[in-house]
Amino acid sequence: MTGQAEVQQTRALSVESNGLNVIADADRKGRPSQLFWPWFGANVSVLGLSYGAFALGFGISFWQAVIAGVIGVVFSFLLCGWIALAGKRGSAPTMVLSRAAFGVRGNKLPSLVSWLLTVGWETVLTILATLATATVFDRLGWGGGALTKVIALVVVGLLTVGCGVLGFDLIMRAQAVITIVTGVLTVVYVVLVADQIHWKTVSEIPHGSAQAVIGALVFLMTGFGLGWVNAAADYSRYLPRRASSRGVVGWTTFGGSVAPVVLLVFGLLLAGSSKDLSTAIGSDPIGALAATLPTWFLVPFVIVAVLGLVGGAVLDIYSSGLALLSLGLPVKRYVAAFVDGAVMIAGTIYVVFYGGKFLGQFQGFLITLGVPIAAWCGIMLADIAGRRRDYAEDELYRPSGRYGDVRWLPVGTMIVATGIGWGLVTNTLASWLTWQGYLLGAFGLGGKEGAWAFANLGVLAALVIGFVAQWFGGRPAVRRQEA
């Protein structure tokens, strides 16, 4: 047992050699239940508490927000579970398996969107960790200025980039540790602030419209599982082919959604009990949660906040590196992770030191990229559901192979679905996105000021359009590929 543990530790601390390649049979290991650790560790962040304030910001009641949250979170991670099946069947990264639907070079379009989404998310999480550390240190009297932010950025950057560079084995071990530490400390946080919940105040929050509920549901979908679908097969690809398909779907869905659902409900209770807290979350989503904590727990709170955010950023930087490789960058996987780390740090420096208000840009980012990734997700779901055989792995890398060079139906569907989707969402909090919503009036939905303006129907529309077009238009191509 000691020898086996030493081998596992050595593998975890060595740079992973796998990149876009198919994982060899000898290296496929584990059980579907092990997927719980990376997905839970990446989503147990106390950021989930802040989504309570975000949801109530749509002008809905507590129970409406609970319904929207449970449906949005669980369904979005169920999408991840279904996409993860492709990893078990093809043992290649998500953005390589996507070539079966889009063609080898046609897949560069979704690869670009995937890279923007993952590198954007890792930057967002690093920003939040830096701001939270500065807020807590300021309250402790240790200084929360530029020097503290620089130190926090360096620590978070090293942890994130280090895990991303070393790769899969270290990530799996690190996520297990993050899960345990953040899980325990989050429970302590909940106990400490539970007396700040005032059910009478929460229960008196007025009901909102059906359109507002849908808007909150879509926002929560994009903030949780829909932001991970483009990376869902990156971890299931290491499982043996004989692994249970139901287990892959079930453990991915359960691991990803269980913590966000619990944290969201508690966050709704906290934000609904205090308008001041709900407002403060808008400028510092993590730091605001520390405002009423006893001083002795502030340092543990920083640990749980930073580790939870790092847990998500680590998965993002690993997958963003793979997406960058699938775009054609001719470097090793660990070099791509370094490149993404540099982009992440540059983006964090800009926002933290020069960027001003953050929440509106964050929401705009989620919804804007949520539309094309939803279109891609719909296409992939239909493609996976239509296949009866495992992928012809070698041909995923050859434009002259059975999957083709550019498959114009999926590519065109993604472009059209994105154009329609952007016309049915609005982003008034981000000034650079006010052009969206251009179809709301034409579709009889009241225009940019109408009742449906903030329902963000464009994300759901893109998902449905992608699935339907690929299911009915792409199945003949799938049959030819498998013949």
Side-chain angles (χ1 to χ4, degrees):
M1 292 295 292
T2 302
Q4 184 179 2
E6 290 176 352
V7 170
Q8 291 176 344
Q9 184 174 3
T10 300
R11 291 184 62 177
L13 295 178
S14 60
V15 177
E16 180 190 359
S17 59
N18 291 314
L20 294 186
N21 58 286
V22 171
I23 304 301
D25 287 336
D27 293 329
R28 295 172 188 167
K29 56 188 180 296
R31 302 179 304 277
S33 60
Q34 291 174 307
L35 293 173
F36 173 83
W37 299 109
W39 290 111
F40 187 90
N43 292 283
V44 72
S45 167
V46 293
L47 176 61
L49 295 169
S50 298
Y51 274 89
F54 300 160
L56 293 177
F58 281 83
I60 58 180
S61 70
F62 169 79
W63 289 114
Q64 287 178 317
V66 168
I67 293 170
V70 172
I71 295 175
V73 171
V74 175
F75 177 69
S76 64
F77 277 109
L78 184 59
L79 298 179
C80 290
W82 286 331
I83 297 291
L85 282 177
K88 188 203 75 164
R89 295 169 64 179
S91 300
T94 314
M95 282 298 123
V96 171
L97 298 168
S98 178
R99 293 173 177 176
F102 287 83
V104 175
R105 288 198 300 173
N107 194 61
K108 290 184 183 296
L109 172 62
S111 292
L112 175 61
V113 175
S114 177
W115 181 75
L116 290 171
L117 183 62
T118 47
V119 81
W121 258 114
E122 69 199 46
T123 303
V124 165
L125 296 174
T126 304
I127 292 167
L128 292 172
T130 303
L131 293 175
T133 302
T135 299
V136 172
F137 274 44
D138 182 57
R139 187 179 163 199
L140 287 168
W142 298 351
L147 180 59
T148 300
K149 293 176 181 176
V150 169
I151 294 173
L153 175 56
V154 169
V155 172
V156 173
L158 286 175
L159 288 173
T160 303
V161 176
C163 287
V165 167
L166 294 179
F168 178 80
D169 286 301
L170 179 59
I171 288 173
M172 294 297 283
R173 291 172 67 91
Q175 293 294 67
V177 173
I178 288 172
T179 294
I180 295 170
V181 174
T182 54
V184 171
L185 292 179
T186 300
V187 170
V188 176
Y189 173 87
V190 168
V191 172
L192 289 174
V193 301
D195 62 344
Q196 298 173 31
I197 294 173
H198 306 290
W199 174 245
K200 186 176 183 298
T201 303
V202 174
S203 63
E204 290 175 350
I205 299 174
H207 290 285
S209 64
Q211 296 93 329
V213 174
I214 295 173
L217 186 152
V218 173
F219 176 76
L220 293 169
M221 280 181 58
T222 57
F224 288 103
L226 199 57
W228 289 111
V229 289
N230 54 308
D234 293 351
Y235 306 95
S236 58
R237 67 181 174 137
Y238 284 87
L239 292 174
R241 293 188 191 277
R242 64 181 182 275
S244 166
S245 295
R246 289 184 179 181
V248 171
V249 176
W251 283 106
T252 299
T253 305
F254 178 68
S257 61
V258 61
V261 167
V262 174
L263 292 171
L264 174 66
V265 172
F266 192 79
L268 287 169
L269 292 169
L270 277 179
S273 300
S274 171
K275 288 185 178 180
D276 291 339
L277 174 62
S278 188
T279 302
I281 286 173
S283 57
D284 188 358
I286 303 295
L289 296 171
T292 55
L293 281 172
T295 303
W296 65 267
F297 191 70
L298 289 177
V299 172
F301 177 80
V302 168
I303 294 173
V304 68
V306 170
L307 282 180
L309 295 168
V310 167
V314 163
L315 261 64
D316 278 317
I317 196 171
Y318 183 77
S319 294
S320 67
L322 294 174
L324 196 57
L325 293 179
S326 69
L327 275 169
L329 187 69
V331 298
K332 298 288 187 181
R333 184 202 59 78
Y334 67 87
V335 176
F338 270 124
V339 172
D340 286 338
V343 174
M344 174 189 77
I345 291 171
T348 303
I349 290 173
Y350 173 76
V351 172
V352 170
F353 296 100
Y354 307 104
K357 291 188 176 181
F358 170 66
L359 180 58
Q361 315 301 321
F362 174 50
Q363 291 178 317
F365 163 77
L366 284 181
I367 296 299
T368 299
L369 287 185
V371 171
I373 210 65
W376 171 86
C377 181
I379 293 168
M380 274 294 288
L381 289 174
D383 186 76
I384 293 169
R387 295 187 182 277
R388 298 295 178 262
R389 300 181 182 180
D390 290 343
Y391 295 90
E393 295 163 347
D394 292 343
E395 301 196 33
L396 289 167
Y397 304 87
R398 298 196 349 247
S400 60
R402 72 180 65 190
Y403 300 119
D405 187 11
V406 178
R407 293 186 58 202
W408 290 108
L409 175 65
V411 171
T413 296
M414 186 171 176
I415 293 172
V416 171
T418 298
I420 294 173
W422 280 341
L424 297 175
V425 300
T426 52
N427 276 297
T428 56
L429 293 176
S431 59
W432 50 284
L433 294 173
T434 54
W435 54 270
Q436 295 176 353
Y438 45 81
L439 293 178
L440 288 167
F443 283 18
L445 298 174
K448 295 184 180 182
E449 303 299 326
W452 288 96
F454 297 97
N456 293 322
L457 292 176
V459 176
L460 298 177
L463 180 67
V464 172
I465 292 170
F467 183 87
V468 171
Q470 181 65 15
W471 181 255
F472 290 102
R475 290 181 74 187
V478 172
R479 293 291 173 263
R480 290 194 297 271
Q481 291 171 1
E482 295 188 333

